Amino acid sequence: MAIKSDAEFVDAFRNGDIEGFNELVRKYRERVYWIARRTLGNHEDADDAVQEVFIKVYQGLRNFRGESNLFTWIYRITVNVSLNSIRKRKIKQFVPFENIMDQILPGNEETDEQVIRQEYQTILEKAIERLPAK
């Protein structure tokens, strides 16, 4: 069996053969993981990044122009996903939720107030996630 090139896998995917994409994932999964791992510093975040990278590759593969090597394109997506993950992590670490919640509600609340406190925290976290990186 002849080994197919990246271009052949991309063409197969564009023609509706999902196996072309699966082969690209098998081929580049480990390299993408180690790029993300070096950037993010831990296994869990790198694993999440790999999934996000291949979702983006799947969504963009039909529009890949081939002006660069396929792995160069995947590498750039990996770096961008990893850097965005770091930015999100820094934003979450910047605001200590416990301190804010202690100021909003006193520490000795009853069960109903604990539920309200949790709801406030959830709303606050969602609002922070929607903020731009800067």
Side-chain angles (χ1 to χ4, degrees):
M1 182 174 127
I3 298 175
K4 289 185 177 182
S5 70
D6 288 349
E8 290 172 312
F9 289 132
V10 171
D11 287 340
F13 175 75
R14 286 179 177 161
N15 292 324
D17 180 12
I18 194 69
E19 193 56 35
F21 176 74
N22 292 340
E23 286 299 318
L24 289 173
V25 171
R26 281 190 276 280
K27 182 176 181 179
Y28 292 120
R29 167 181 54 211
E30 188 173 342
R31 289 172 71 184
V32 167
Y33 170 82
W34 284 109
I35 293 165
R37 176 72 186 258
R38 279 192 304 270
T39 307
L40 297 169
N42 67 61
H43 171 73
E44 291 80 18
D45 290 343
D47 244 7
D48 291 343
V50 169
Q51 289 180 11
E52 190 173 342
V53 166
F54 283 111
I55 288 170
K56 289 183 182 296
V57 168
Y58 183 88
Q59 292 169 339
L61 199 54
R62 293 196 190 284
N63 298 323
F64 176 67
R65 295 186 306 249
E67 294 172 357
S68 65
N69 183 305
L70 180 66
F71 184 71
T72 302
W73 181 66
I74 294 172
Y75 174 86
R76 193 69 242 167
I77 292 171
T78 305
V79 170
N80 289 340
V81 165
S82 299
L83 293 176
N84 286 338
S85 179
I86 289 171
R87 284 185 197 107
K88 288 177 188 175
R89 187 185 323 153
K90 284 183 180 178
I91 289 172
K92 288 180 181 178
Q93 290 173 351
F94 177 73
V95 180
F97 295 116
E98 293 77 22
N99 295 348
I100 292 172
M101 296 315 293
D102 287 341
Q103 292 173 5
I104 294 173
L105 294 173
N108 296 331
E109 63 268 358
E110 298 297 319
T111 306
D112 289 341
E113 291 180 9
Q114 288 174 342
V115 171
I116 292 170
R117 179 185 175 116
Q118 183 61 40
E119 287 176 7
Y120 280 140
Q121 184 168 350
T122 302
I123 291 168
L124 184 60
E125 288 173 358
K126 287 180 181 179
I128 290 173
E129 286 176 2
R130 289 193 308 257
L131 290 174
K134 293 186 179 182

